[in-house]
Amino acid sequence: MKKILLFTFFFTQILINAQFSERNLSLEKWNFKNAKENNWLTASVPGTVHLDLMKNNIIPDPFKDENEKKVQWIENENWDYQTQFTVSGKELENQNIDLVFEGLDTFSDIYLNGKLIQTTDNMFRKWTVPVKNYLKKGENILQVKFRSAVKTGNELAAKVPFTMPESPRSFVRKAQYQFGWDWGPRLVTAGIWKNVKLEFWNHAKINNVQYETLDLGEKQAVLVWKAKIFSESNEQNKTIIFLNEKSVSVLLKKGINFIEIPYKIFNPELWQPNGMGKPKLYDFEISVKRGIDILDKKTERIGLRTIELVQGKDEKGKSFYFKVNGKPMYAKGTNWIPGDSFSPRMSKEKYQKLIKDCKEANMNMIRVWGGGIYEDDEFYKACDENGILVWEDFMFAGSFYPADEKFQKNVELEVRDQIERIQNHPSLALWCGNNEIDEAIVNWGYQKQFKYSKEDSLQVWKDYKTIFHGIIPNTIQKYASRDKQIYWESSPSIGWGHKESLTEGDSHYWGVWWGEQPFEIYNEKVPRFASEYGFQGMPTLETTKSMFSGKPELNLQNGIIKAHEKHSRGWEIIENYMKRDYNIPKDFVKYNYISQLLQARGMQIAIEAHRRAKPYNMGTLYWQLNDCWPVVSWSSIDYLGNWKALHYQVKRSFENQVILPQEKDEILDFYVINDGLKTFENVSLDFDILKFSGEKKGSGAAAETRILESNGVLNFDSFSLEEIIGNADRNEIFLHIMLRDEKNEKVIAETNYFFARPKDLKLPKPNLTIRKISPTEIEIFTDVFAKDVYLIGDTHFSDNFFDLLPKTSKKIILSKPIEGIKVMSLWDAKN
């Protein structure tokens, strides 16, 4: 009996010890200090040194006032982090204990109980260190000693025989935007920026799981799941791998085992991009079991879809568009930068809100810009759930990069880690090697500026090809499933000064803003796929006020507001464009309002030019969605999450069905775009000619009803301006245009068209009144035409910066109740 009890005890202990478990060391008490000092201060993990210094009142908030200048010393210091944690005897009984750092920024030495166990040199890699032999029962001390990325980068740069642009940032594998950009501050961080944990495991461990879609039909989807499992030994007894309700028995060999499990889904529902259907998701659990004991398990949420990048030669060049689930998709979206200069501060809620804001604005694609970070899992999860496809840049931007053997290996491991982490997300559409490096080499004149020899220039191209033609695509082929291997070397493929940039590939068109061309140039410079273009606008008043630590002084000459514009000529460029289209207000609130309208107007002209050119153009991603701090920038949503006028306009401009008038040589054309999958069998287009006072001067209509095909374009009858307005003053009238579904007797789309620039419109003073329907709903009325109605208050309005037709009203939902909503229109800004 004793023998039976003893056997039962040991067998139970084996089962307990066999269970996979982990401890989150981020929850332990952490301290940090300047390496030159002895005084330890409290720290937070995940975090950064800047956040810890702020919490300890050592530095002021760099986002406020002109404090950014006061914290530049931090980047040149070395910083030590430390925690103490206890390990029990039972924990030490596990066969394997790994110390896992999800992210370390950037150059560090890791010590456990005084012994150096790992050095790191890449912010984007996951670091896993076996530590069973270094741990002891009871108290353990873990130290991470960070070296200055700036000083280390300078040391690496000094080894190259010629000057590299943007040194030292291009020599360090960390977020490039931290070194400063024309929308972001220079805040070069250090710290444990992601979670750190201990993993306890026995016998076998799942290193990675991925899947591949072999066939996707209406009746069934055929998948193959691939699990990479590490085994401690050559097993004598079979291990069972479970995939949901399916299981396979395998005899694991010592080392890495590659296990494939076929899986079928009957009557599958497709994951569809926003605007094309629902983003259906399926949940899977993969577990490794021995007997009744779970050695390890992972969960995955996937979507069933096919995606192709179609580049076919035609009479005008070469197409560039995405085909999703067998159907061409017009890409409507934006560019994403990190949501904070201090990434650990980005919450799951902020990720979810920003992506839902994209969905609400009728987007279906986001480009993750290559100067930031590979985003948190929550970002990709939110994109999966909201039907937003992701164009994923690798984190290289606007510079030259080295390609020595150590750098190559570092990049390969970085790319591998990110592929294994991201590729199972159905939102992933494309891997892109870099942002603007091909263009930088060809167009930006660095070779001349730094007096390169012919050999130096050849070396730059050789290094470029090594990384972006070799290391990265080879790593994708090695580690990514075959249906997740779409690779695009550089965005843009051709610089905006070259005519080919408009006939093939993707384009970053910066003739507006950088080239200071008028907005109307967008009508001429239409590419096959616009992956970057933009114009700056001020943030909302609430976010502008947040720039101040004390009482806000809202004045354009205020040094604090000036410091929150990072483009050297930003204010000048905004004002030059403003003169063309608007009267420049002297009042700050009105200036803020007009600057937002100006930005929205420019992007509306661009988006409409792109969409009118469908299917020649099949994508428009404006620069940029968001901000990393309170700033005057190209964003449509400011740092505090408030929608600028641009985001409201994008929502209207990205509707699936839109009317896009175009005036050229005194002729007005009416284009109708349908990006949806529904065909409208009987549509008509008509318009009213109205004075701003409300008086109707006439009407017009296309000659006959038409079929509006799914994913199609219609060009209705053209009208001469003389036919429409005759001798009327063009500054006093406008068109209200409607697209009707005659079969179902409903208006599909409507818009207003103006014959003059905003500054020339002879607008009457509107009498705007607000009626409160409920604490979170209002109705706004007007007697005459009210242009660009602006609701001001500390809440999110369901619509804003909108036009109101004479003697009409509009209902608006508020995100939270507020009192004292203020309202103005363009008339107020002009008078």
Side-chain angles (χ1 to χ4, degrees), residues 121-317:
D121 57 359
N122 191 321
M123 176 181 178
F124 305 124
R125 283 174 56 187
K126 177 180 178 180
W127 302 91
T128 301
V129 189
V131 292
K132 179 177 170 70
N133 294 334
Y134 298 99
L135 291 169
K136 59 185 180 181
K137 184 178 178 181
E139 201 73 25
N140 291 262
I141 299 176
L142 176 62
Q143 294 177 313
V144 185
K145 296 178 177 289
F146 291 98
R147 301 186 302 283
S148 163
V150 171
K151 288 185 175 179
T152 305
N154 283 329
E155 291 168 4
L156 293 169
K159 297 177 182 178
V160 176
F162 51 88
T163 302
M164 296 271 270
E166 304 297 342
S167 291
R169 75 167 170 84
S170 54
F171 288 88
V172 297
R173 293 310 301 139
K174 72 186 268 92
Q176 304 285 275
Y177 80 108
Q178 295 178 356
F179 292 83
W181 226 268
D182 53 9
W183 39 258
R186 183 181 176 102
L187 295 166
V188 185
T189 63
I192 305 170
W193 75 291
K194 289 190 173 185
N195 276 318
V196 53
K197 59 188 176 181
L198 285 175
E199 291 183 346
F200 304 91
W201 60 279
N202 300 275
H203 307 303
K205 178 184 180 183
I206 303 172
N207 282 356
N208 181 55
V209 173
Q210 63 191 69
Y211 76 97
E212 185 177 328
T213 306
L214 302 180
D215 184 54
L216 185 54
E218 288 186 12
K219 294 186 177 181
Q220 70 175 16
V222 181
L223 313 179
V224 61
W225 284 84
K226 301 177 181 181
K228 186 163 69 172
I229 299 173
F230 182 84
S231 176
E232 271 287 288
S233 60
N234 292 314
E235 293 192 334
Q236 302 301 313
N237 299 310
K238 286 188 175 182
T239 295
I240 302 176
I241 315 296
F242 283 86
L243 176 66
N244 286 6
E245 73 285 353
K246 187 167 185 175
S247 65
V248 296
S249 296
V250 295
L251 203 59
L252 295 177
K253 297 179 181 179
K254 184 176 182 179
I256 296 292
N257 296 259
F258 295 94
I259 310 298
E260 293 192 1
I261 307 174
Y263 195 93
K264 290 182 180 180
I265 298 175
F266 296 100
N267 302 313
E269 295 180 58
L270 298 180
W271 184 93
Q272 297 279 16
N274 185 33
M276 294 178 72
K278 295 181 180 179
K280 170 66 178 178
L281 296 169
Y282 290 88
D283 291 310
F284 283 86
E285 180 178 277
I286 299 92
S287 57
V288 180
K289 293 185 179 181
R290 178 178 290 174
I292 63 170
D293 200 32
I294 300 175
L295 302 183
D296 198 0
K297 67 179 178 179
K298 288 188 181 295
T299 58
E300 296 287 344
R301 173 169 276 195
I302 72 165
L304 304 176
R305 92 290 185 275
T306 62
I307 187 162
E308 305 168 60
L309 176 60
V310 181
Q311 296 185 81
K313 289 185 178 180
D314 55 33
E315 68 280 3
K316 295 180 180 178

Side-chain angles (χ1 to χ4, degrees), residues 794-825:
D794 184 19
T795 189
H796 175 72
F797 299 99
S798 59
D799 200 3
N800 211 344
F801 303 93
F802 52 82
D803 293 344
L804 265 183
L805 295 174
K807 297 181 175 59
T808 64
S809 67
K810 187 179 184 70
K811 292 181 180 179
I812 303 293
I813 304 298
L814 283 60
S815 61
K816 64 180 180 181
I818 60 166
E819 297 296 331
I821 297 172
K822 295 180 180 179
V823 61
M824 71 164 66
S825 70

Side-chain angles (χ1 to χ4, degrees), residues 87-88 90-99 129-133 135 198-201:
V87 175
S88 67
K90 184 169 287 188
E91 287 174 320
L92 286 173
E93 290 174 6
N94 285 277
Q95 288 181 347
N96 301 278
I97 308 174
D98 290 341
L99 176 63
V129 189
V131 292
K132 179 177 170 70
N133 294 334
L135 291 169
L198 285 175
E199 291 183 346
F200 304 91
W201 60 279

Side-chain angles (χ1 to χ4, degrees), residues 23 158 208 219 365 370 449 454 502 576 580 632 671 677 706 719 751:
R23 275 181 58 185
N208 181 55
K219 294 186 177 181
M365 179 172 275
Q449 178 184 343
K454 183 179 179 180
L502 301 178
N576 287 341
R580 299 171 186 173
V632 180
Y671 292 83
L677 300 181
R706 306 275 293 276
F719 291 81
T751 192

